[in-house]
Amino acid sequence: MEGFEQFAAIQIEVFYWWCIAIMLQIHAGFLTLEVGISRVKNVLATALKNIMTLAVVLPAFYFVGWWIYNAFPDGLIPRMSEAALAALPWSENMGPNITDHASGVFWGAFALFAATTASILSGVLIERVRLSGFLILADILGSVIWNLAASWGWHGEGWFLTQFGYHDVAAAGVIHAIAGFFALGVVINLGPRIGKYTGDGKIVNILPHNLPSTLLGLMLIYVGFFGFLGGCIIAVTNGEWMTIYGNPTNLSAFVFNALMGLAGGLIGAYLGSKGEPFWVASGGLAGVISVGSGLDLYHPALAFVIAVIGGLMCPFIGNFLERKGIDDPVGAITVHGFIGIWSVLAVGIFASGYPNINGPEISFIGQLVCAAVVILLGFLPGYWTSLLLKKLNMLRIPKQAEMLGIDLTEIPATAFPEGIPSTQENGRLKMIMSKSKTS
Amino acid sequence: MEGFEQFAAIQIEVFYWWCIAIMLQIHAGFLTLEVGISRVKNVLATALKNIMTLAVVLPAFYFVGWWIYNAFPDGLIPRMSEAALAALPWSENMGPNITDHASGVFWGAFALFAATTASILSGVLIERVRLSGFLILADILGSVIWNLAASWGWHGEGWFLTQFGYHDVAAAGVIHAIAGFFALGVVINLGPRIGKYTGDGKIVNILPHNLPSTLLGLMLIYVGFFGFLGGCIIAVTNGEWMTIYGNPTNLSAFVFNALMGLAGGLIGAYLGSKGEPFWVASGGLAGVISVGSGLDLYHPALAFVIAVIGGLMCPFIGNFLERKGIDDPVGAITVHGFIGIWSVLAVGIFASGYPNINGPEISFIGQLVCAAVVILLGFLPGYWTSLLLKKLNMLRIPKQAEMLGIDLTEIPATAFPEGIPSTQENGRLKMIMSKSKTS
Amino acid sequence: MEGFEQFAAIQIEVFYWWCIAIMLQIHAGFLTLEVGISRVKNVLATALKNIMTLAVVLPAFYFVGWWIYNAFPDGLIPRMSEAALAALPWSENMGPNITDHASGVFWGAFALFAATTASILSGVLIERVRLSGFLILADILGSVIWNLAASWGWHGEGWFLTQFGYHDVAAAGVIHAIAGFFALGVVINLGPRIGKYTGDGKIVNILPHNLPSTLLGLMLIYVGFFGFLGGCIIAVTNGEWMTIYGNPTNLSAFVFNALMGLAGGLIGAYLGSKGEPFWVASGGLAGVISVGSGLDLYHPALAFVIAVIGGLMCPFIGNFLERKGIDDPVGAITVHGFIGIWSVLAVGIFASGYPNINGPEISFIGQLVCAAVVILLGFLPGYWTSLLLKKLNMLRIPKQAEMLGIDLTEIPATAFPEGIPSTQENGRLKMIMSKSKTS
């Protein structure tokens, strides 16, 4: 059977290879989404930030982040376990190694999770953040903070699991909520875009310059989400799937609930926003995130309902935050932060009592406590680090640059030098147009 | 060998998982395609319709559609077979079930087929259909009609196969043609866009507002088509591929003919349209559809020829329909409806006599009879249900709303609030531009 | 174990199936990239060229290209080996064959490599090449030239390997550099776009009309690159991966170095271009290409450094070529041509002495000699065939057509008939905007 075991190992490698490729599409999607949301004067600065997120997060995750994930399941004291030692950049597992079919692809999938986490932050800060300040925050979030969260709550021996029976199979808490609340902490120090609120506190709706681009971006993220979800399940060479908590599950369960969650979130957001396209399409993500923590457990009809609720809440949470002075152009604090927490709590409500292999059974209290820790672990470092950057004058671009547009002041290029003038038609086309058979 | 059988099962799960993800890209593609085809005043209404298609079709397919597919291979009387009972939403197979690695992913792949079917309809109706009316039609097509067609003609025991030896391996008839002729039925009741024909019956060419967007959309669909084609082949744990009719085949056959079909369709449409970009790019789809019914059977050079013919016919069929008063802005009735029928008939012409495992051999008469049933099964419900919606005033938006644009009257958002003004260049860029070394 | 061997065979088929699908996304990416780079007056001509590349290269690769790859490992004298005979279009392996799970998917993956090679050429020639002339060149490059290069340097028995120990695992030399230097040969005869240089030789910066589109295109190519890289590794049913040279390797190695190469290239190009978005995003490709030849060998930290160097060089090489009168609007001669050579040489510098299974060990001299052959094999046919086309007046569109725009003169359609006017907001939106709670 040696040939079979070996073959199984390379097939598992293939599975994560495609997870990585498809997750890269999330970044194409975020770029398209955020470019659409930006005003014309800032589109290149926005896009450059999305591209450079990959540039800084992937190496930082290689040198530091993977080790943090593997070393901190106990809390804030690192373990020097075999897994942690193998995650250090000078380990023989952290490079080409023909006897190791796992480390590279697992590292790669987690590296893309890190990049996604940082990209969730990126949209919140557009149109006024300094690129340098953002990249520092992206690295802290992508290579330190979410890694701690994942080590605690998304690891077979993490203390969330062993102490509280935490269940968050597709990382709605330890990726989405962490990123959302980190972003909330940052945006408090960053402040709203100039013109977002009038002098007497009235809200001004700053419109996306190209909403169809934003909608395409969200659609590309739907595709990419299947890479993300694939990275949330562990294949074993004996022919079983398990969750990151060691419970048996399978992709069929994921399919049912991901698709029903997608649909439910769209419907909920449609109802909640009265058909506002941005919220509707964002509701698709919110739906998948809503059911993410219990993707392995729900009946699909229940997943649909949980997702409808998640989607429905989005516009209300988004408007509430906006009224409180939180200027989040892409709604990520809502869709990833608050809905991520909804997802974690929903498991406590609807799957309480479900047994875990390596810890106490799922409980509402356990989910609630861990959700609170996730909120703090996201928010506080986001707040503190951005406060420090603010004091160092590294957080926000100068006021005049913001008024003129970041592209004009910071980017050595121009987005639409011709505008999009109406193009002319040629002779052959005119002939087609003037054809005149009676119908 | 138990470990191997189990491992094989999860690998099959993985294959369909990626089929589902890649098929989602078809929807990103349709959105991009249709947004490009719309005039600026309707782009958001068009996009919202594409997004909401997923929202309504996926749950309807869960609650009803999958059961219909499994229950009606005999015609209009449902069987209560084991497979049909397992497809009911309260069955233990229709949710997370760690002993069932098949139901979820098969359901998911078929759910995406359903969504694709509904999306084929969507483009035909843009710029004048009510969202509510469209979504009802999408659910009828996606969760009842094509399911019947598939149960009859794309099922190992369907009466098309057992009675007529029907062969339609990649669903050119039971998905593409069904959707195309359903759309034809609807568009007769819906009528052309205001301004499409002058008072004296002359055709006016209503131009896509962003043709490059449409071309990108078609390219994204080419990618997504490989998810669709993957969903048309069955992997067996003993290490064989078979068609949905139980005949042995493999992905290598699919690759040869899909790629040669793509190329042939492009060339045919280029020749037929004298290089009109929309028809050329649509011809790529038409090429793959042309060879879809016999994807497992043709020599690649023959597939190329069949696809050239399919692509070549497209502009002529499209123009013919236009002259007959059929206003199909995206050409879907042509590309999916008529070319889907061409595909079914081509198998009868070029592969007549080929044996089936579970029915009589392939014959031209068998393909012809089944093609006729497909046309009626698509057209009649499309016509009747849209007629009913028309009488209920639920089919078409008010005339004034259509004149002003659906976005302005129905959508609480605006697509391009700034237009795309020409952006300015900054100082550094001007320096780059004024560099002046002699070449 | 027969069931297992058989199952392994179909899993390998699945792997290349997805490689093919994901590689198609490279073409969606190139279209989006090149459309963005074009001026508005030429966008449809540019896009049509990308679409028709698939149309002409895939069949030519079927009829000729695959045979060339298999027949010429010895140089310019074809072998009539079993593999070469099996690649002839009338062979029973070159079509549906239920006993052959390999030929179709290998052919398909190579056919997409061929199309990618031709697409690298395509961007260089935009805004002034004739479609017919381009398609001839695309076929020569995609079905003859790179196939020879691959037969020599990317084949288990190629003379580059057996004589010089050539190592170029992800085809940075035999695909990217070949295409880049072929393009250089062509562009010398084609000449720069009108207006690119003033009468006294000053450089004019012709700006991309839609730079965000270009950046999305590059992001889509990043995703597609994982299909390309997947096609560069061979899976064996005994459960091993090997390079095309027969050396053991695995996908984990590829993941480490592809992601670190991507990040390094972005950082290098950011530094080298002072943050110019086009170069930064192109630098991501340049980074992956920089480490492509040794993707199986490098430590990830070394890959990162090699990619930083590759990315850093890009803007300087691009500007150097521009000063020499080479008008390459998409930078492909730089990113694919010169960086492809850098990749080949880097293996000679950093992995010299590494043993090969089927030839002498890797050496700097061997890499250098083969790099020189690659440059000549790309450049000379590009130069000669384009010179011939030029003499036949088939290379460049007439001057007046170029001034007016190719779309107006050659394409029976118009890209943006409405321009992108500012869209209006409706009443509900105004209400949202005027909401005025104090924050």
Side-chain angles (χ1 to χ4, degrees), chain C residues 4 52 61 65 77 84 116 129 135 182 236-238 244-245 258 390 393:
Chain C
F4 157 64
M52 291 304 293
F61 188 81
I77 314 290
T116 299
V129 75
L135 293 177
F182 189 98
V236 190
T237 54
N238 71 357
I244 208 139
Y245 308 115
K390 186 178 182 178
N393 196 25

Side-chain angles (χ1 to χ4, degrees), chain C residues 420-433:
Chain C
I420 306 287
S422 167
T423 52
Q424 291 172 279
E425 304 147 23
N426 65 14
R428 289 160 72 192
L429 187 70
K430 286 207 184 99
M431 268 179 18
I432 292 171
M433 286 180 67

Side-chain angles (χ1 to χ4, degrees), chain A residues 17-18 20-26 28, chain B residues 22 25 220 223, chain C residues 16-30 109 112-113 116 176 216-232 258 262 285 288:
Chain A
W17 173 262
W18 294 128
I20 292 164
I22 302 296
M23 267 196 272
L24 262 176
Q25 181 132 324
I26 293 178
Chain B
I22 302 295
Q25 181 133 324
L220 293 177
V223 178
Chain C
Y16 295 110
W17 173 262
W18 294 129
C19 290
I20 292 164
I22 301 295
M23 267 196 273
L24 263 176
Q25 181 132 324
I26 293 177
H27 296 272
F30 271 120
L112 267 293
F113 287 136
T116 299
H176 295 282
L216 169 59
L218 282 157
M219 277 276 196
L220 294 176
I221 296 173
Y222 298 170
V223 178
F225 222 133
F226 277 73
F228 185 102
L229 297 177
C232 296
L262 174 64
L285 291 190
V288 183

Side-chain angles (χ1 to χ4, degrees), chain C residues 132-134 136-137 140 384-396:
Chain C
S132 55
F134 165 71
I136 292 167
L137 293 167
I140 291 168
W384 289 330
T385 53
S386 61
L387 186 64
L388 180 64
L389 288 170
K390 186 178 182 178
K391 290 192 186 296
L392 296 171
N393 196 25
M394 290 173 64
L395 188 61
R396 185 155 180 158

Side-chain angles (χ1 to χ4, degrees), chain A residues 170-332:
Chain A
V174 299
I175 290 181
H176 294 282
I178 280 283
F181 283 94
F182 189 97
L184 180 62
V186 174
V187 87
I188 286 171
N189 287 308
L190 181 67
R193 290 169 288 177
I194 293 172
K196 178 66 196 173
Y197 299 93
T198 61
D200 55 350
K202 289 199 173 96
I203 295 167
V204 177
N205 205 358
I206 298 177
L207 298 175
H209 98 275
N210 186 335
L211 196 46
S213 168
T214 296
L215 301 177
L216 169 60
L218 282 157
M219 278 276 196
L220 293 176
I221 295 174
Y222 299 169
V223 178
F225 222 134
F226 277 74
F228 185 101
L229 296 178
C232 296
I233 191 168
I234 298 175
V236 190
T237 55
N238 70 356
E240 285 168 14
W241 293 111
M242 61 182 197
T243 68
I244 208 141
Y245 309 116
N247 294 2
T249 186
N250 59 32
L251 280 176
S252 285
F254 276 35
V255 167
F256 276 123
N257 288 331
L259 292 180
M260 293 299 269
L262 174 64
L266 291 168
I267 289 174
Y270 185 89
L271 297 174
S273 74
K274 306 211 168 90
E276 206 283 322
F278 168 74
W279 280 119
V280 176
S282 298
L285 292 190
V288 182
I289 296 169
S290 293
V291 300
S293 297
L295 207 62
D296 55 329
L297 300 178
Y298 299 135
H299 187 275
L302 176 59
F304 181 72
V305 171
I306 292 170
V308 168
I309 295 170
L312 192 64
M313 289 193 292
C314 282
F316 298 100
I317 297 170
N319 290 338
F320 171 80
L321 290 171
E322 194 180 34
R323 285 197 302 275
K324 293 294 174 193
I326 303 301
D327 179 17
D328 174 5
V330 298

